[in-house]
Amino acid sequence: VFNLLLTAISLAVAAIPEALPAVVTIALAIGAKRMVKQNALIRKLPAVETLGSVTYICTDKTGTLTKNRMEVVEAVEVKHEVAVNGISRDELFLNCIALNNDAAVSEGGNLLGDSTEVALAAYASANKFERAACESNYPRVGEIPFDSLRKRMTTIHKAGDKYLSITKGAAEALLEEVCKDQIMHADLWKKDVELISAKGLRVLGFAVKVLDELPSEDEAEEVECCMNFIGYTGMIDPARDEVSEAVKRCRQAGVIPVMITGDHPATALAVARQIGIIERKEDRLITGVELDKLDQDEFEELVLQTRVYARVSPEQKLKIVTALQDKQQFVAMTGDGVNDAPALKNADIGVAMGINGTEVAKEASDMILLDDNFATIVNAVGSGRRVYDNILKFIKYVMTGNSGEIWTMFLAPFFGLPIPLLPIHILWVNLVTDGLPGLALASEPAEKDIMLRKPRNPNAGIFSEGMSYHIIWVGLLIGFLCIGTQVVYFGDENTHWQTMVFSVLCFCQIAHLLAIRTGNVSLFKAGLFSNVPLLMAALLTVGLQMLLIYVPAFNLFFKTQPLSMSELAITLAVSSVVFAAVEIEKYFKRKRAAEDSGR
């Protein structure tokens, strides 16, 4: 009864993969550490694994897809009749560019601040209109800050006994809302703005109004009306050099990139085509105005075909996330502002900007981009897939080994044989095979096709795609190899059958480890030294088993006996059957995958 109790407890220990929580945590931690080196800071550890399921990446344009280094390449001044004390009509436009600006100057003379503000300040400075000099002549006495709903910013300056109000914002919005009653041929100017935007330029318009009195904060809406449109600038923000390749990799991985921007639709469309986000006629662009007119059900009919969202407010990002999730998509959403927080919180993976992001956005996110680069998100998706693959490999390895131990103990009585292993043997095998070798799987390199697969289904169980089948048949094979060894050598006084069965069980698991570590790729093609820590762990396990066999002190404690060279050779040969069988299974899987790819 005592022996049966010890055996039952040992089998219970063998059946439970007690190393699994530790290995999963370590695998996620290693993945997070690896991602930090790739400029992706993981705030919530499960996000490492979740990245492997992402099907949509909804990304901001400016600074993420582009370099966030604006440069004014076109400036068009509109003829006007605005008279401002001390400013000629020809100089009003450049004065307004310098005055309606929050760029600062460092001690070294460099411009600091938002990239758009810096570009405008640099343009004005290049034309001999320094912001500091202009503001000393026309000091700022009031302002209406920019916000994403108005899409404009207004500053008010003292000009003699009058006040000059300057509004800067989206050119078409100024023409339609702020200057609609004060400019002739507005439609022609709108067409001109469309043409410049189609070149991929960001167009900002400027409008002015002379006030007799300084308005109060309650009169903000009255200030931004009936203004005179005086001109606009076209700025270019070139796409990052690596973003086109990142978008291509994204598509190959079955992940759909979507651009979300506050820019003009024509600008967004030009950039999206340049970097490959829009490739087909079916790919749609939706503006924020159109999005507001659609209810959730109507929008969900279009969301899977939409690749670009232009003139979108941060609040509308939440609507996009919800629609995609309702269509069973796994969404990564980027954001940097306070208003982006709800979308980041509700996305499956919220991605905040590390350079330009607010603290609110970072707190709501799962991951922070330390370089604000779209390519970093794509790299993180690959790292997430690698981590999940390695976790699955460990589960396959440990569950198969545990299954083999149980079958070995369970089948022996059916062949009229005594229980082949002592409880201490089972505990030893469980200790040395589940420990270091399992942890070493966490450092297994990514498979070459990892970014050529479709995203995994997050609702699929870990035992899907043949995992359970593999665990059962390889576990049975290990069990039959151990029982077969016992059948052949049991009763022969010249052999040490129990030590041989014990060693076969241990070596079979190491053989299985080497075979499954490379996924469906042959170990001979991947290379034995492609994961040195795992190879070292496997050799250490074999070395420890040899100590149990050949060191007298261990013989006494573990009830083992030294094997002859022929017995050891037979033990190793029998164990290698598992390696050969799994390699054959992988060959047929590769062949089937090639046939499916051909079809």
Side-chain angles (χ1 to χ4, degrees), residues 251-508:
R251 290 186 177 279
Q252 289 174 338
V255 182
I256 298 174
V258 173
M259 177 197 293
I260 300 177
T261 179
D263 285 353
H264 190 283
T267 304
L269 197 61
V271 174
R273 284 177 173 155
Q274 177 190 346
I275 63 179
I277 284 181
I278 285 187
E279 292 184 324
R280 306 173 304 166
K281 293 181 180 179
E282 297 82 8
D283 295 339
R284 293 179 57 94
L285 178 147
I286 289 181
T287 65
V289 174
E290 293 170 335
L291 194 56
D292 277 336
K293 294 177 181 177
L294 298 171
D295 62 31
Q296 195 67 24
D297 291 335
E298 291 173 330
F299 177 46
E300 287 178 9
E301 295 299 317
L302 304 174
V303 69
L304 295 182
Q305 288 78 45
T306 306
R307 299 291 179 268
V308 178
Y309 297 88
R311 290 289 188 237
V312 171
S313 65
E315 292 80 1
Q316 291 174 318
K317 287 184 175 182
L318 181 59
K319 187 173 182 178
I320 297 169
V321 168
T322 303
L324 286 169
Q325 289 175 333
D326 287 346
K327 286 293 185 179
Q328 310 305 313
Q329 301 300 318
F330 226 65
V331 186
M333 172 67 77
T334 70
D336 54 11
V338 173
N339 294 335
D340 291 327
L344 295 175
K345 194 75 175 176
N346 283 273
D348 299 289
I349 295 289
V351 183
M353 301 297 112
I355 298 174
N356 296 316
T358 61
E359 289 302 316
V360 174
K362 292 175 184 177
E363 285 296 320
S365 67
D366 302 290
M367 182 173 85
I368 299 174
L369 298 184
L370 301 179
D371 58 356
D372 291 7
N373 192 340
F374 174 79
T376 302
I377 307 176
V378 181
N379 292 335
V381 169
S383 296
R385 292 185 176 188
R386 172 185 175 182
V387 168
Y388 188 74
D389 275 3
N390 290 345
I391 290 173
L392 283 187
K393 287 173 185 175
F394 174 76
I395 293 173
K396 180 188 286 188
Y397 165 65
V398 74
M399 293 298 289
T400 302
N402 291 358
S403 172
E405 295 167 24
I406 292 170
W407 285 121
T408 299
M409 300 294 286
F410 179 73
L411 292 174
F414 289 93
F415 291 92
L417 298 169
I419 293 176
L421 300 173
L422 300 174
I424 196 171
H425 295 158
I426 300 171
L427 295 175
W428 170 260
V429 172
N430 211 44
L431 175 66
V432 297
T433 59
D434 287 4
L436 287 177
L439 291 175
L441 272 176
S443 61
E444 184 65 32
E447 295 175 27
K448 291 183 178 180
D449 68 340
I450 199 164
M451 289 299 281
L452 299 177
R453 314 177 199 155
K454 293 180 181 180
R456 66 176 183 83
N457 182 357
N459 297 319
I462 59 173
F463 295 108
S464 60
E465 299 183 2
M467 170 85 87
S468 56
Y469 170 73
H470 177 92
I471 290 171
I472 291 171
W473 83 259
V474 178
L476 276 171
L477 176 62
I478 293 173
F480 278 117
L481 288 173
C482 292
I483 296 301
T485 303
Q486 184 179 3
V487 167
V488 172
Y489 293 99
F490 177 67
D492 189 341
E493 294 181 358
N494 296 324
T495 62
H496 313 110
W497 67 268
Q498 191 171 60
T499 303
M500 291 181 71
V501 172
F502 176 32
S503 300
V504 165
L505 181 61
C506 181
F507 295 152
C508 277

